[in-house]
Amino acid sequence: MTIPDKMKAMVLTGPGTWELQEVDVPVPGRGQVLCRIDAVAICGSDPEIIHGGLPGIWPPSYPFIAGHEWAGTVAAVGPDVLDVEVGDRVAGEAHKGCGYCSNCLKGRYTLCLNYGKPETGHRHYGFTSQGAYAQYNVYHRKCITKIPEQVSFTEAAMCDTAGVALHGLELAEVIPGSTVAVIGPGPIGMMAMKLAKAMGAGSVIVVGRMPRLKTAMELGADQVVDFSKCDPVEKVKALTDGLGVSLVLECSGAPGTIIQALNMCGKGGKVVMLGVAKDGVTEAIPLKFTTHNELSLLGSRANPNTSQKVIRMIASKRIDVKKMVTHAFPLEEIGAAFETFEKRLDGAMKVVIYPNGAE
């Protein structure tokens, strides 16, 4: 594969400012691979980074290249990379732990105790390490998963979103035949709905409002609840004969939804927090109710150890992610891509960018 010396990239030059620039193509070091970015999807966390919501943290400094939901082709391999070859098609993962702290040794590398310390080997691509809104980027071998020919780059770029939902579902352990509620029909919520059904849930109720509830029905929701027209807790209870659901996947991060989720649960139910609330948001948990009903409230961070599972589920058609992608843009139109995503123009759900041309 011919590798250019320069590449196009969306470079953040400061909080809330960016430019399309020509920059050097990075060179892979020991244990690393250089990948051509063939598709990269916009994540809900990206606007905060690009608009300068967390300068000094995400990113730690400028200039910086964001983006982390990507798929592409191996263009070069560094020393000590033994099982990946130039031309391999791969999907990326954002997190790489240090590998030796107690959490990493347990496989919980998204909770690495050396987070943000690159000298330890930790990487969080697109957040604290350079990301994928570019034609090429270097990744550690641990952060790529090979994809079969039947999985397109566009589909594989959904691996991160699907993996986040899958991790939450694995923490909760979906009960076959059970009823699951999903609060927040955004990309994570839609993926959670699809995966809950694929993993054996008997029925999935999606809580949100139009027009995304219409999309949820089209993508497979069994029932929907519009919280702008009714009390969502009362409605979910009514749909379950007063028993409540066994699992609630909170995917919005909106204030007040955790209390709603707990009250939607039946006895012994679980709530998984997939949505990320804004800093400073707190809720008063109904302690006696939670204790007497043995409810569980679980936090869920990112997508550890899910990439291979998700890719297999996409390849085998257990989950269909194609309809999640509503818009696509070349890298040269990335400004329009973000406007479409943030303003939900024309029913935007997942927006994909092709840095090296469309598939």
Side-chain angles (χ1 to χ4, degrees):
M1 184 178 293
T2 302
I3 303 170
D5 295 324
K6 297 286 186 177
M7 67 177 183
K8 295 176 183 178
M10 178 196 190
V11 180
L12 305 184
T13 55
T17 61
W18 61 271
E19 298 173 357
L20 274 177
Q21 296 183 1
E22 276 208 347
V23 299
D24 292 338
V25 174
V27 177
R30 190 170 300 278
Q32 297 178 332
V33 296
L34 175 69
C35 293
R36 184 182 69 200
I37 310 298
D38 290 304
V40 53
I42 297 176
C43 173
S45 63
D46 289 337
E48 183 176 29
I49 296 170
I50 289 169
H51 296 316
L54 291 167
I57 302 174
W58 293 350
S61 62
Y62 297 94
F64 188 77
I65 300 171
H68 61 278
E69 296 187 359
W70 68 276
T73 308
V74 175
V77 298
D80 296 339
V81 176
L82 306 177
D83 62 338
V84 174
E85 298 178 351
V86 172
D88 283 347
R89 304 168 72 252
V90 295
E93 183 175 342
H95 283 269
K96 177 200 171 289
C98 69
Y100 59 84
C101 74
S102 59
N103 280 349
C104 283
L105 291 173
K106 295 172 187 173
R108 304 183 74 184
Y109 54 90
T110 59
L111 303 177
C112 178
L113 298 178
N114 286 309
Y115 184 93
K117 299 176 182 177
E119 66 274 15
T120 69
H122 177 272
R123 297 289 184 273
H124 193 189
Y125 296 104
F127 294 84
T128 65
S129 305
Q130 301 295 333
Y133 289 134
Q135 290 183 296
Y136 293 86
N137 195 30
V138 162
Y139 294 91
H140 194 276
R141 169 63 186 91
K142 292 181 179 180
C143 293
I144 61 172
T145 300
K146 294 181 185 180
I147 59 176
E149 289 296 328
Q150 68 264 38
V151 176
S152 68
F153 291 124
T154 302
E155 290 174 297
M158 299 297 103
C159 183
D160 187 284
T161 303
V164 169
L166 179 59
H167 179 51
L169 285 159
E170 288 184 327
L171 287 174
E173 300 177 332
V174 179
I175 300 171
S178 63
T179 301
V180 174
V182 174
I183 298 176
I188 297 293
M190 297 294 194
M191 284 293 190
M193 173 194 70
K194 286 175 172 287
L195 283 161
K197 293 174 72 72
M199 295 169 71
S203 178
V204 179
I205 303 168
V206 177
V207 180
R209 59 185 171 187
M210 295 298 181
R212 283 196 162 174
L213 286 182
K214 181 176 182 294
T215 303
M217 289 295 291
E218 292 170 352
L219 294 178
D222 296 290
Q223 294 171 306
V224 296
V225 173
D226 190 333
F227 68 78
S228 68
K229 297 181 178 179
C230 66
D231 182 311
V233 174
E234 290 183 1
K235 185 62 175 178
V236 168
K237 285 291 188 72
L239 291 173
T240 56
D241 297 325
L243 296 176
V245 298
S246 65
L247 170 63
V248 181
L249 301 163
E250 200 298 305
C251 302
S252 73
T257 53
I258 297 301
I259 302 301
Q260 291 177 349
L262 288 168
N263 285 319
M264 288 176 188
C265 284
K267 293 180 183 295
K270 297 179 181 180
V271 174
V272 178
M273 298 189 299
L274 289 166
V276 180
K278 294 184 181 299
D279 287 340
V281 173
T282 60
E283 296 190 32
I285 301 297
L287 297 179
K288 186 174 183 179
F289 175 81
T290 301
T291 301
H292 280 189
N293 289 286
E294 290 193 359
L295 305 183
S296 300
L297 180 61
L298 305 169
S300 181
R301 179 177 172 85
N303 55 327
N305 308 304
T306 62
S307 293
Q308 287 188 356
K309 302 169 192 174
V310 167
I311 289 298
R312 290 186 186 124
M313 294 180 84
I314 294 172
S316 65
K317 310 300 182 185
R318 294 287 294 171
I319 55 171
D320 179 2
V321 299
K322 288 182 180 179
K323 291 181 181 179
M324 296 285 294
V325 180
T326 55
H327 297 76
F329 294 86
L331 184 63
E332 292 77 8
E333 297 177 19
I334 194 167
F338 268 92
E339 181 180 20
T340 299
F341 178 80
E342 291 183 73
K343 295 182 179 179
R344 299 184 184 179
L345 300 180
D346 191 29
M349 180 66 65
K350 289 298 288 186
V351 177
V352 171
I353 296 156
Y354 299 118
N356 287 285
E359 291 191 70

